[in-house]
Every structure is written in C-alpha cells, then in structure tokens.
Amino acid sequence: MVTCVNDAMFPDTGKAVVTLLRRLGVDVEFPEAQTCCSQPMVNTGYLDEAVPVVRTWVQAFAGYDAVVTPSGSCAGTCRHQHGLVAERSGDPALVQAVAETGPRVHELSEFLVDVLGVTDVGAYFPHQVTYHPTCHSLRLLGVGDRPRQLLEAVRGLRLVELPEATQCCGFGGTFAMKNADTSVAMGADKARHVRETNAEVLVAGDNSCLMHIGGMLSRQQAGVRVMHLAEILAATEPDETQPVTLPDVARGKGVTT
C-alpha cells in the first residue's frame, strides 16, 4: 500500500519498499485499484463519507497474506479505525471484510522485524542519521524500537539521538491546516532539536511528517536532508565509479557524495 502522499508526491519511497522487499525474497504485488485508506476523513470526523472509501480499500487488498505500507499513520487507520467505519455503515459484509484484512496490515518496520524476522536487510548508508518516531507509529501502532533496530544494522550508518524525540512534529494531517500557527510552532521545536544533533539526515517512517519538518529545515538552510526509512534500507553499497545522491523529501536539490 503506497499511500496517497507517497503516490502523489514521493513515489521513490514506494519504489524503495518494492526494491527492499523483493531483495528479501518477498513476492510483491501492487494493486492498481488501491485508493485512499480513508485516514483524512476518519481523523476529521467524516465517518459516513469514509464508508465507500473503506469498502474500496478492502476490495483492493482482499486475499493477500500481508499488506505492507511505509506509513505508520495509514497502517494505524487500516488496523484500528476501519472497524469504526465498518460498524458505522451497518453493513455486516463490510464488517467481516475489515475484520479479515485489518490484522494483515503492517507498517514496514513491523513487517521486516516481526514477520520476516530480519533486522539486517543488507543496507549501506555512510551518513550520520537521527530518527524521528512519528506519532501514529509510536502511539497507535506501538512499533517501539523496530526502526532503530533496522537503522543500527545498516552498514556505515551512524545513529545519533534526537532530543525530545517523542514530541509531535506538529503536522497531524488536517491539524496543520486548521491550526497552522500551533503546527508551525511545534515544527520549529522539532527542527531545532534536529539541528542540535548535527545529523546529516533526518529519517522517519512517514513522509507527511518529513514533509513538514523538511520544509522548515530547508527554509532555515539547515543543511539537513530528510529521508524515509524505506529509502535508507533500500540503499546498497554503490559502484565506486558512481556517485550517491541523497534525495530531499521537500524536493530541493539532492546532495551528491
């Protein structure tokens, strides 16, 4: 499940997931019928409007052994909030479909560590990195230290602690639109803590949060890039004759090293 944000704005993250999973021997399919998971509607209180979206979602992902997504917030929606929407619909068939598909949804780090049983995915990323645990992955899913386990096993990567790591970055989906001043203030705190680490790269499991923090870091000319966890885990040791380009989630110019 690529998610709306990645499909529309950060397709390299979706490609990185496919590359990584296939490298680990997983048979990956991309259902082209997939659409939004319904998170924006559910989080804003539009449960009735979310019913046809959830119905489309469960139809697209029916029958798979696992649904893997590079987003803690979308995984949390599918696993914990689709049930609320289904009950609201009064449709027993939708309730049953959600009960079958929901438990099969995994945020990427959960799938790698818990289902595949791997932490060393063969990645190589010779940079100093700090990690931001996004709210939904931390609180709704409880992914714990799984992303850190994966990062610590990446060859060449130097992981540094992010001060006040568990504080929200301020994005919060529609929250950032409706409460812009508060969102910006929270994001400024997060960006300041990122700069304090002297990291070259900020990594997280949700591009929505990285877009928010990355935009601030870019405007501050902080010299810190942001990357999704999947893109780091998909990276391998390059041909010595070829440069490595670090993408920026805010889509400024990459840095060649």
Side-chain angles (χ1 to χ4, degrees), residues 166-191:
T166 60
Q167 286 187 355
C168 177
C169 73
F171 178 68
T174 55
F175 171 84
M177 306 296 180
K178 295 185 175 183
N179 302 275
D181 291 344
T182 303
S183 174
V184 168
M186 295 170 71
D189 284 344
K190 182 64 66 171

Side-chain angles (χ1 to χ4, degrees), residues 35-36 38 41 46-59 85 89 94:
T35 59
C36 178
S38 79
M41 285 151 280
Y46 294 102
L47 297 184
D48 291 336
E49 290 79 359
V51 170
V53 183
V54 171
R55 183 173 285 113
T56 297
W57 190 93
V58 295
Q59 289 172 351
V85 177
S89 74
L94 184 58

Side-chain angles (χ1 to χ4, degrees), residues 30 77 96 229:
F30 182 89
T77 293
Q96 180 62 31
L229 175 67

Side-chain angles (χ1 to χ4, degrees), residues 120 122-127 150-158 235-237:
D120 185 348
Y124 172 77
F125 193 76
H127 297 280
L150 292 160
L151 289 169
E152 288 169 354
V154 174
R155 290 183 299 117
L157 186 147
R158 303 178 301 282
T236 55
E237 193 159 5

